[in-house]
């Protein structure tokens, strides 16, 4: 695989591994500044209420309290995950005249210790006038539902509480359904899950000499800086977001959060550093979880299984403010339609305001919910027309070079190979639908096998749109790599180091990374749009390439040999064919400083995806390109169902994935294993249970995240569709989000194979499976 | 009160309600021990108390009077790591790293008692340590690699514990 490659494509240990394994890695909660105050937030106990008054006078007099802030202390600006003319920012960082969900932030205090801060919170008097509330999105759309915000006037709909709408279509769906040999309509629903990052939300802000220094557990320092600066009325140059390690995020740490704003504002008021750390209960009750979808899907196919038409309607319960809810309904069309060739589609998606906490991106950002629907229904259709699940998928899978209706090209799509190889590895076609041949099939435990496929984008055009990297040569020939990328565990610093090592033939240990600092490192797209390996990776490759060009030119001049006759050795340039005629990087550095007016050899590289596109596509109409980079996968699940208890388990997951080229195979496997685990939590264990906007299970004991006992065997098959060559751009894809989706659908399909129960809602709990088993057996005794 | 942390004796003034976790993190500056839930549900604050893994967030500092505590910082002298730590690196068992100190300490305690654990014994030893990133696959691999090294636990740490 890694022909001629030294560092890229190798399973090298992560560059931050030693710091992490020795406890030296400093996370936001570990950073200590003298005089740091403890910040706390007062939150709404009501899901919907008018605020009549807020009185903080007694709180401010508590000994040890250094600052108290409410909406009156803000500039009155709003923010949103999306801030466009159609979808203007809709959320104030501190509630102004109404609260719209339990946990909404009303006031914040900073005090010398937690006791004073808690006492002060208890002394803030808020007068509320409760308002009627609505929690179910379809109820919220009804004509009598309480209005949470005035529906945005540009979204003209007969429904209430519409936060946003996406609609798109191509081809002739009516004709397609008319001509179809088989048509099915089904409704699928998903449920609320949390991200499960172990490091809680945390921010340390320090206002010093007209500058706000911020450390925050985040996925995008440059985005956080932009939002903080605007809301606090500061120029970008007065806000510096600095690196801290991030203890997991999974989509849940990219929005701007009130605690980040309040830490900054309180520090500006108090003149001392302020630390905000959310308790686990706060994270569960007041912060942002994922986005359950209602998916109504009608699909028509030819007799041979070829897809003809789909009609798709998606309703997203986006909570009290838009958050990324309007992005999910935009993405949903692609998550439904990218993997298979689809001649016609009619799609509409609604994001609906409810009095639930706001929702965030969550690994996959809607893809698991959409693939669950599409892949479940495809299996139902296959059964009706007598095809097996692999056949129908191979019939419809995209081929390399296909162009989607929005202009995106699937380029080196490896989906056909993913399907074939995952099926071969698991002997899928021999085993599917043959319960009588199962080794453990006759008794209480029934085993089944299922497949699903998915596609996921790698990078798109969203602020800040670009990644840059700077590589500096040091006078001993070692390198310093400056990147704005933030490592949230995915290994960003490691793969960037590998790329620079490869391009310049410098050992990994001699490359120092300076990362994720808005002041000292160049801009980066952030770790939330699945573009790190592609966008920032190519920027790193270009930066290293610029250094290599300078070195080669210097060597050519010094040794009086043409550039084309030089080769790169480890930390040296030599003449091809005579390796002893060489100059070390240290010698070339010295020569450059001496002969090039002091140039110490610095390389810069930039990358922007879709450089021919002016901006991001329309969220409303989907017009415009979204990405130039889709990764594909086929995943097979083997499950076991206990027909007495209804309990189901994932035994084995096989992921055949087309990530292009695995820059670091061990990191790729880690991403796949983690996503399989997250998906099995999604399928079987995890649910944030809410009643009237209140979280009923706000702890790890009551919310079951997978433990070591829930581990499934996870196997990966690399379908390589890309080569990495020094000095040339590569189109490697993403591995961080795509593989949490098809496996969920594969699990649902495997449960059907095991016990004949078709589940239309997640999670696949014992109660639900037992009920379906009883219904089925009741119907056919 | 007095206690021995990573082989060094410390005298601390603590409140009755001060947890071992608070004492380690805020008074001794040993921030390698993490806090995620504060309720004994996730295992990220695991330290070794007289050689046995305990949850520092549920342990009162006063209950550690005269006892030996080993944190992640104390497993190996500066500039070195133990075979368990090396196995976590080699196996790719680390992603975000927030569970890593607790995982390493739980594993260290396991391998001292049970140098060649069965999968069930590994499960039992690590069932209280949550990890969201890895799915546990590579963590189990790391434990097995460390066991195969046949140098259980951490020699440096065992001097303290």
């Amino acid at each position: 695989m890694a022909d001629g490659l030294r560092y890229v494509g190798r399973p090298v240990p992560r560059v931050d591994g030693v710091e992490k394994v020795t406890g030296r890695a400093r996370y936001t909660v570990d950073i200590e500044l003298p005089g740091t105050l403890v910040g706390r937030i007062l939150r709404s106990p009501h899901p919907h209420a008018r605020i009549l008054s807020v009185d903080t006078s007694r709180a401010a007099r508590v000994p040890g309290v250094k600052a108290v802030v409410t909406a009156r202390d803000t500039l009155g600006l709003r923010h949103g995950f999306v801030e466009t003319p159609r979808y203007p920012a809709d959320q104030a960082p501190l509630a102004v005249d109404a609260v719209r969900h339990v946990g909404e932030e009303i006031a914040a205090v900073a005090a010398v210790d937690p006791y004073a801060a808690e006492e002060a919170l208890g002394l803030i008097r808020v007068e509320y006038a409760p308002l009627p509330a609505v929690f179910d999105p379809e109820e919220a759309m009804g004509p009598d539902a309480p209005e949470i915000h005035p529906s945005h006037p540009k979204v003209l709909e007969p429904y209430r509480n519409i936060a946003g709408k996406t609609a798109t279509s191509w081809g002739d769906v009516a004709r397609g359904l008319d001509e179809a040999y088989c048509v099915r309509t089904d409704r699928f629903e998903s449920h609320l899950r949390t991200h499960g990052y172990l490091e809680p939300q945390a921010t340390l802000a320090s206002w010093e000499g007209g500058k706000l220094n911020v450390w925050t557990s985040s996925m995008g320092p440059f985005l956080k800086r932009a939002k903080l600066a605007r809301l606090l009325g500061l120029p970008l140059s007065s806000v510096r977001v600095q690196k801290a390690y991030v203890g997991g995020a999974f989509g849940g740490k990219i929005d701007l959060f009130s605690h980040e704003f309040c830490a900054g504002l309180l520090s500006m008021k108090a003149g001392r550093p302020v630390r905000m750390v959310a308790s686990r209960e706060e994270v569960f009750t007041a912060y942002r979880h994922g986005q359950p979808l209602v998916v109504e899907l009608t699909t028509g196919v030819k007799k041979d299984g070829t897809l003809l038409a789909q009609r798709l309607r998606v309703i997203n319960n986006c909570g009290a403010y838009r958050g990324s809810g309007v992005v999910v309904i935009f993405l949903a069309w692609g998550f439904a339609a990218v993997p298979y060739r689809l001649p016609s589609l009619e799609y509409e998606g609604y994001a609906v305001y409810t009095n639930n906490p706001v929702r965030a991106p969550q690994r996959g950002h809607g893809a698991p919910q959409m693939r669950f629907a599409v892949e479940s229904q495809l299996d139902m259709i296959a059964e009706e027309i007598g095809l097996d699940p692999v056949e129908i998928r191979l019939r419809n899978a995209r081929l390399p070079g296909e162009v989607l209706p929005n202009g995106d090209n699937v380029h080196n799509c490896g989906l056909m190979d993913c399907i074939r190889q995952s099926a071969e590895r698991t002997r899928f076609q021999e085993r599917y639908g043959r319960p009588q041949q199962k080794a453990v099939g006759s008794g209480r435990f029934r085993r089944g096998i299922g497949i699903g496929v998915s596609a996921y984008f790698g990078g798109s055009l969203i602020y800040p749109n670009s990644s840059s990297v700077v590589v500096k040569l040091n006078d001993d020939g070692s390198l310093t790599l400056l990147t704005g990328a933030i490592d949230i565990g995915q290994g960003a610093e490691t793969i960037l180091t590998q790329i620079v090592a490869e391009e310049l033939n410098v050992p990994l240990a001699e490359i120092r990374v300076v990362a994720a600092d808005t002041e000292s490192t160049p801009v980066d797209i952030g770790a939330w749009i699945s573009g790190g390996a592609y966008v920032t990776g190519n920027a790193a490759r270009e930066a290293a390439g610029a250094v290599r060009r300078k070195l080669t030119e210097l060597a050519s001049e010094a040794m009086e040999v043409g550039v084309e006759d030089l080769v790169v050795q480890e930390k040296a340039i030599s003449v091809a064919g005579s390796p002893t005629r060489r100059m070390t990087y240290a010698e070339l550095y010295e020569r450059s400083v001496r002969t090039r007016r002091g140039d110490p050899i610095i390389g810069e590289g930039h990358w922007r995806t879709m450089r021919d596109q002016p901006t991001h596509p329309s969220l409303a109409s989907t017009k415009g390109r979204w990405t130039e980079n889709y990764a594909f996968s086929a995943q097979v699940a083997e499950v076991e169902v206990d027909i007495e208890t209804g309990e189901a388990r994932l035994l084995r997951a096989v992921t055949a994935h087309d990530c292009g080229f695995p820059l670091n195979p061990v990191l790729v496997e880690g991403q796949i294993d983690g996503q399989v685990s997250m998906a099995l939590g999604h399928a079987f264990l995890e649910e944030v249970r809410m009643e009237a906007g209140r979280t009923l299970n706000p702890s790890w004991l009551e919310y079951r995240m997978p433990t070591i006992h829930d581990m499934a065997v996870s196997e990966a098959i690399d379908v390589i569709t890309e080569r990495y060559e020094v000095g040339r751009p590569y189109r490697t894809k993403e591995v961080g989000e795509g593989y949490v989706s098809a496996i969920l659908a594969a699990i649902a399909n495997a449960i059907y194979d095991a016990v004949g129960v078709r589940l239309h809602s997640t999670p696949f709990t014992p109660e639900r499976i037992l009920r379906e088993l009883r219904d089925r057996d009741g119907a056919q005794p | 009160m007095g206690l021995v942390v990573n082989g060094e004796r410390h005298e601390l003034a603590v409140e009755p309600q001060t947890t071992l976790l608070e004492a380690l993190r805020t008074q001794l500056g040993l921030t390698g021990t993490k806090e995620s839930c504060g309720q004994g549900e996730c295992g990220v604050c695991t330290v070794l108390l007289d050689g046995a893994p305990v949850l520092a967030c549920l342990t009162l500092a006063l209950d550690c009077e005269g006892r030996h505590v080993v944190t992640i910082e104390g497993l190996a002298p500066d500039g070195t790591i133990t075979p368990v730590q090396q196995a976590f690196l080699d196996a790719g068992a680390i992603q975000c790293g927030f569970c890593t100190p607790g995982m390493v300490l739980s594993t260290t305690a396991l391998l001292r008692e049970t140098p060649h654990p069965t999968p069930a014994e590994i499960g039992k030893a690590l069932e209280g340590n949550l990890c969201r990133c890895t799915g546990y696959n590579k963590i189990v691999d790391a434990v097995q690699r460390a066991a195969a090294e046949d140098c259980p636990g951490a020699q440096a740490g065992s001097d303290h514990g």
Side-chain angles (χ1 to χ4, degrees), chain B residues 135-161:
Chain B
Y136 305 97
N137 306 67
K138 293 196 183 300
I139 289 175
V140 171
D141 183 23
V143 178
Q144 286 167 339
R145 282 178 191 229
E149 286 285 308
D150 225 2
C151 31
Q155 303 87 330
S158 60
D159 296 336
H160 307 150

Side-chain angles (χ1 to χ4, degrees), chain A residues 14 17 20-21 27 29-30 194-195 198 250 280 669-670 673-674 677 686 700-701 705-707 709 711-712, chain B residues 17 25 31-32 34 36-37 41 72 81 85 89 94-98 123 127 130 132-138:
Chain A
R14 45 187 315 137
K20 285 178 171 174
V21 85
Y27 298 74
V29 286
D30 302 330
T194 195
H195 304 80
L198 286 182
F250 312 110
R280 186 56 56 182
E669 285 170 18
D673 294 347
S677 174
E686 301 177 31
W700 294 133
L701 275 190
M705 213 151 79
T707 71
H709 296 303
M711 185 180 78
Chain B
Q17 74 276 17
R25 285 183 57 87
T31 54
K34 304 302 179 196
S36 172
C37 71
E41 296 167 3
I72 191 71
I81 57 175
Q85 288 170 312
L89 286 178
I94 304 161
Q95 288 188 33
C96 85
F98 209 73
E127 66 190 358
L130 289 180
R132 185 56 149 179
C133 297
T134 65
Y136 305 97
N137 306 67
K138 293 196 183 300

